């Protein structure tokens, strides 16, 4: 499985993650808009054990996801770049922010989720689910 290096904006935190399918899933949910200050975030799913912090450490906070279950968000304590989050409803999987990974400019967009929350001027670029993807 290919391994990708990631780092935060300030360089204080670095990590590697192994990905089966290096692609972006665009999330248009309102929580992602608040976290990123943007229209969407670019993500992929990985195993919790497939991410390894190689420099620094993350801080975290929790919020309640649309499922009603906790979501744990992990970010650089200095610049606050969000590297990944763990939606407890996903079990041993995590949601990795792909834009922070080296080589991510070459990743394809595999899907879009929470299309119901997409801003009207943002075009659809991949198959879109109106809410979360089906299990």
């Amino acid at each position: 499985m290919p391994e990708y290096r990631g780092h935060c904006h300030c360089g204080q935190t670095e990590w590697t993650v192994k990905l089966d399918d290096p692609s972006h899933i665009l999330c248009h949910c309102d929580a992602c808009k608040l976290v990123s200050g943007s229209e969407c975030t670019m993500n992929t799913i990985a195993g919790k054990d497939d991410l390894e912090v190689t420099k620094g450490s993350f801080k975290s906070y929790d919020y309640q996801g649309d499922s009603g279950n906790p979501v744990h968000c992990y970010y650089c304590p200095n610049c606050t770049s969000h590297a990944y989050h763990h939606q407890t409803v996903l079990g041993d999987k995590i949601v990795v922010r792909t834009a922070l990974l080296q080589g991510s400019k070459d990743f394809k967009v595999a899907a879009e989720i929470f299309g119901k929350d997409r801003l009207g001027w943002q075009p659809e670029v991949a198959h879109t689910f109106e809410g979360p993807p089906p299990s």
Side-chain angles (χ1 to χ4, degrees), residues 30-50:
D30 291 334
C32 282
K33 287 181 181 70
L34 288 171
V35 166
S36 69
S38 185
E39 197 282 329
C40 68
T41 58
M42 296 186 289
N43 312 281
T44 198
I45 306 295
K48 280 174 89 173
D49 294 337
D50 291 329

Side-chain angles (χ1 to χ4, degrees), residues 4 17-26 41-47 83-85 90 93-99 101 107 110:
Y4 295 86
V17 63
K18 296 175 185 168
L19 300 177
D20 280 331
D21 180 20
S23 61
H24 301 292
I25 300 169
L26 306 183
T41 58
M42 296 186 289
N43 312 281
T44 198
I45 306 295
Y84 73 98
H85 63 268
L90 293 177
K93 302 290 184 188
I94 58 173
V95 178
V96 178
R97 301 287 193 224
T98 50
L101 302 177
F107 293 5

Side-chain angles (χ1 to χ4, degrees), residues 59-129:
K59 286 187 87 170
S60 67
Y61 68 91
D62 301 338
Y63 71 92
Q64 185 175 342
D66 286 350
S67 67
N69 293 303
V71 178
H72 311 295
C73 298
Y74 296 87
Y75 63 95
C76 170
N78 187 53
C79 68
T80 71
S81 293
H82 282 238
Y84 73 98
H85 63 268
H86 176 233
Q87 298 173 344
T88 56
V89 72
L90 293 177
D92 65 348
K93 302 290 184 188
I94 58 173
V95 178
V96 178
R97 301 287 193 224
T98 50
L100 301 176
L101 302 177
Q102 292 177 346
S104 66
K105 290 181 181 179
D106 297 325
F107 293 5
K108 68 184 183 323
V109 177
E112 298 184 59
I113 59 175
F114 290 93
K116 66 182 178 63
D117 296 324
R118 183 190 304 117
L119 298 180
W121 51 263
Q122 181 68 31
E124 181 177 17
V125 296
H127 178 75
T128 302
F129 299 96

